[in-house]
Amino acid sequence: RLSLNCHSSSMAIESYLAKLPPWLSSPNPVALVLFLVPITVIALLVIQFYRIFVHPKLLYKDAIPGPPIDSWIFGNVWKIQPGQFHKKLYEWYEEYGRTYQIWLMHRRTVIV
């Protein structure tokens, strides 16, 4: 049988609040804002990083053949030597066919 004792519940809450830092356990709205704003900003930055750098590479990874992705941020940029871009494109043409994709930074580029 379930019985609720209001006195023990309120004591449990009070003991829990006593363990929290004073700036978080007080009913001060400024403290709450100062606590929640940085957490919200960090969460939004993580979501944006995922949307820009990770999600497109997972979504289009196998859609069109192309060289494997070296870096989530730089893509295939490190495989291309300065001044040798056309040679690398021709090398990938011979390896992957007439149509292939490469990732330059976080942008997908389809070569036809």
Side-chain angles (χ1 to χ4, degrees):
R1 184 172 177 190
L2 180 65
S3 87
L4 296 174
N5 187 347
C6 292
H7 183 66
S8 65
S9 297
S10 65
M11 289 189 60
I13 292 172
E14 288 175 10
S15 67
Y16 176 75
L17 289 176
K19 294 176 186 175
L20 291 175
W23 56 270
L24 189 58
S25 62
S26 67
N28 184 354
V30 175
L32 185 62
V33 168
L34 290 176
F35 176 72
L36 290 178
V37 167
I39 289 177
T40 305
V41 169
I42 290 171
L44 290 174
L45 288 174
V46 167
I47 291 169
Q48 281 300 99
F49 179 84
Y50 177 80
R51 286 183 60 216
I52 292 172
F53 292 108
V54 178
H55 180 70
K57 290 177 179 67
L58 294 175
L59 187 63
Y60 299 116
K61 181 176 75 168
D62 298 323
I64 299 174
I69 302 167
D70 289 340
S71 168
W72 288 105
I73 297 175
F74 297 109
N76 300 114
V77 169
W78 300 121
K79 291 182 179 178
I80 302 169
Q81 301 293 326
Q84 303 295 317
F85 186 68
H86 62 289
K87 290 181 182 179
K88 195 62 173 177
L89 288 178
Y90 187 73
E91 180 183 317
W92 285 332
Y93 163 77
E94 290 178 339
E95 186 174 347
Y96 298 106
R98 294 182 60 183
T99 304
Y100 59 94
Q101 70 179 353
I102 60 174
W103 290 89
L104 301 174
M105 301 301 279
H106 61 278
R107 301 282 182 188
R108 180 178 103 152
T109 306
V110 177
I111 310 296
V112 180

